[in-house]
């Protein structure tokens, strides 16, 4: 195993053991609950958004190291970003995992998950938290469209 690969695994394990933003946010105004039955991963995402900015974000859940580390990294990456920036990051991360354009040099810790590209079932684990983010952001847009 290359040193780089080993370093990436260490980053993933470190996020898994000490997840960032691993809590429920009582004042959340957006949330989403997603699961990956193939692996038993579950994530409930809480977002407090104000003026289309992510003021606070947290998650609860359980499952494999990749799904939980990815949730920890995702919440750290999008905290204090706008919903549009979060959407962009989401599509870049997905593209990285699906073998599309490689933005990994701009993705900091998130690029540690690029290694799962080779394992399609693990890609689902890595994308789970991002799916939750997508759903939460979409629910914000629906709510806005419904507003008078
Ligand atoms: Zn998993």
């Amino acid at each position: 195993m290359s040193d780089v690969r080993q370093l990436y695994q260490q980053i993933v394990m470190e996020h898994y053991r000490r997840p960032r933003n691993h809590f429920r946010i009582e004042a959340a105004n957006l949330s989403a609950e997603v699961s990956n039955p193939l692996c038993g991963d579950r994530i409930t995402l809480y977002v407090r958004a104000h003026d289309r900015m992510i003021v606070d974000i947290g998650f609860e859940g359980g499952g494999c190291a990749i799904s939980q580390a990815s949730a920890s990294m995702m919440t750290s990456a999008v905290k204090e970003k706008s919903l549009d920036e979060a959407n962009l990051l989401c599509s870049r991360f997905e593209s990285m995992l699906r073998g599309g354009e490689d933005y990994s040099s701009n993705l900091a810790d998130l690029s540690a998950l690029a290694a799962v590209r080779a394992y399609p079932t693990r890609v689902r684990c890595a994308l789970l938290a991002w799916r939750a983010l997508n759903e939460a952001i979409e629910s914000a847009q629906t709510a806005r469209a419904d507003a008078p």
Side-chain angles (χ1 to χ4, degrees):
M1 193 185 288
S2 73
D3 289 348
V4 175
R5 186 83 184 269
Q6 219 158 24
L7 172 70
Y8 281 169
Q9 268 192 356
Q10 276 171 16
I11 295 173
V12 170
M13 288 316 290
E14 206 271 323
H15 275 273
Y16 176 57
R17 292 200 188 102
R18 291 195 313 115
R20 323 292 193 269
N21 310 306
H22 194 243
F23 41 72
R24 180 195 182 97
I25 293 172
E26 296 301 336
N29 48 8
L30 305 174
S31 67
E33 211 180 324
V34 293
S35 65
N36 173 18
L38 286 177
C39 184
D41 310 322
R42 324 165 261 109
I43 289 170
T44 307
L45 187 70
Y46 305 96
V47 179
R48 194 160 78 79
H50 181 68
D51 277 346
R52 300 196 48 80
M53 292 288 296
I54 296 175
V55 180
D56 207 359
I57 183 164
F59 75 100
E60 288 180 318
C64 70
I66 291 182
S67 68
Q68 303 304 304
S70 180
S72 168
M73 292 179 197
M74 180 279 282
T75 52
S76 312
V78 304
K79 198 169 180 172
E80 289 162 10
K81 296 252 179 359
S82 72
L83 295 183
D84 294 333
E85 284 172 307
N87 254 333
L88 182 65
L89 197 59
C90 198
S91 56
R92 288 187 170 175
F93 182 74
E94 182 161 2
S95 144
M96 176 183 82
L97 287 192
R98 302 253 187 236
E101 218 166 320
D102 190 354
Y103 294 103
S104 54
S105 56
N106 299 324
L107 293 175
D109 274 8
L110 292 170
S111 58
L113 290 165
V116 308
R117 238 188 321 216
Y119 312 95
T121 52
R122 305 312 255 166
V123 167
R124 284 165 171 271
C125 300
L127 287 178
L128 188 65
W130 295 87
R131 227 177 76 207
L133 179 65
N134 244 329
E135 282 186 22
I137 292 175
E138 264 172 36
S139 73
Q141 268 137 15
T142 316
R144 250 167 37 123
D146 287 347

